[in-house]
Amino acid sequence: MELHVDRTQRVALDTNALAWTPSPLPGVERRMLERLGGEVARATSIVRYAPGSRFDRHTHGGGEEILVLEGTFSDEQGDHPAGTYLRNPVGSSHAPFSRAGCTLLVKLHQMHPADQQQLAIDTTRGTWVPGLVPGLSVMPLHAFGSEHVALVRWAPGTVFQPHGHPGGEEILVLEGVFQDDQGTYPAGSWLRNPPGSAHRPWSEAGCTIWVKTGHLPDTLPAVLIR
């Protein structure tokens, strides 16, 4: 399967409008955002577990990155409520499940093999630091080489200066409404801005977004970006 595989192209999707498609296991469904491959694929998806659903034990050949959007996601490492950011590195394995149901942002086969940090961050208890402009707050989540991941909170009326993304940018709008010179994006919007793109973002009403930069088309290890 090929869906939005050309990472030189901009993509803007309302994930709430996408159809749910079944996974191989009962009770687990997906809204596919980008995908290259079959059941083992390089993919970004919104994944929904019905109450009582579980996945068989599996190994992450290309790593797995998760943001829990709703409910509680669980595995052998514990229970991960909404707001938890998880990274399972290349070669890790688990058997995930959800007792009450949950919704996740999941990225598969997009992790550098040298990035072996396993993370489980409760962002509801994380520390916000001032951003580059008044009204902007940032919660850094992970950095490896050229890749940086964070939550960014925009107070109402916050405006950022025009800027570019040499390594690309990916955004999921979690709350409120995010805007730039190409459109308006309510909660549930997923954006992928290609390497070399530029924009001027702002938020009239305020918003919170999950942001990843420097990973398109692939994360470069630190030794290559010095």
Side-chain angles (χ1 to χ4, degrees):
M1 180 178 182
E2 294 188 3
L3 178 66
H4 299 137
V5 296
D6 185 353
R7 294 188 162 199
T8 67
Q9 299 299 308
R10 184 177 187 270
V11 182
L13 299 175
D14 176 4
T15 68
N16 296 316
L18 300 179
W20 291 103
T21 59
S23 79
L25 294 179
V28 181
E29 301 174 298
R30 302 164 292 193
R31 285 173 165 162
M32 299 182 184
L33 310 182
E34 58 176 355
R35 193 173 189 89
L36 177 61
E39 281 309 317
V40 177
R42 176 174 182 149
T44 301
S45 309
I46 304 296
V47 178
R48 181 171 67 181
Y49 281 63
S53 299
R54 60 180 57 246
F55 237 91
D56 297 335
R57 172 170 288 279
H58 57 278
T59 298
H60 302 119
E64 177 185 55
E65 183 178 14
I66 293 172
L67 180 65
V68 183
L69 304 175
E70 298 175 349
T72 299
F73 174 76
S74 302
D75 61 12
E76 300 92 327
Q77 304 302 314
D79 295 330
H80 312 293
T84 304
Y85 175 70
L86 302 165
R87 289 182 73 92
N88 296 313
V90 174
S92 62
S93 64
H94 67 166
F97 60 95
S98 183
R99 298 181 188 90
C102 64
T103 304
L104 319 169
L105 169 70
V106 180
K107 297 182 68 65
L108 298 172
H109 284 266
Q110 299 177 49
M111 199 171 288
H112 195 282
D115 184 1
Q116 285 290 304
Q117 186 175 18
Q118 187 148 15
L119 293 177
I121 299 172
D122 181 357
T123 67
T124 66
R125 299 184 178 183
T127 301
W128 294 93
V129 298
L132 295 177
V133 297
L136 204 68
S137 301
V138 179
M139 184 186 299
L141 299 176
H142 181 69
F144 176 83
S146 63
E147 178 181 324
H148 292 81
V149 187
L151 296 183
V152 181
R153 187 167 60 193
W154 300 64
T158 301
V159 178
F160 204 82
Q161 63 265 27
H163 63 283
H165 298 288
E169 177 189 52
E170 184 178 345
I171 291 172
L172 181 66
V173 183
L174 304 176
E175 300 176 347
V177 179
F178 176 74
Q179 297 157 280
D180 67 9
D181 38 359
Q182 300 188 66
T184 296
Y185 315 102
S189 298
W190 180 75
L191 311 175
R192 192 184 70 199
N193 295 314
S197 60
H199 66 162
R200 182 179 64 87
W202 74 91
S203 181
E204 293 177 5
C207 65
T208 302
I209 60 177
W210 174 89
V211 182
K212 176 189 280 241
T213 61
H215 64 300
L216 300 175
D218 290 299
T219 298
L220 297 175
V223 67
L224 295 180
I225 62 172
R226 289 174 182 164

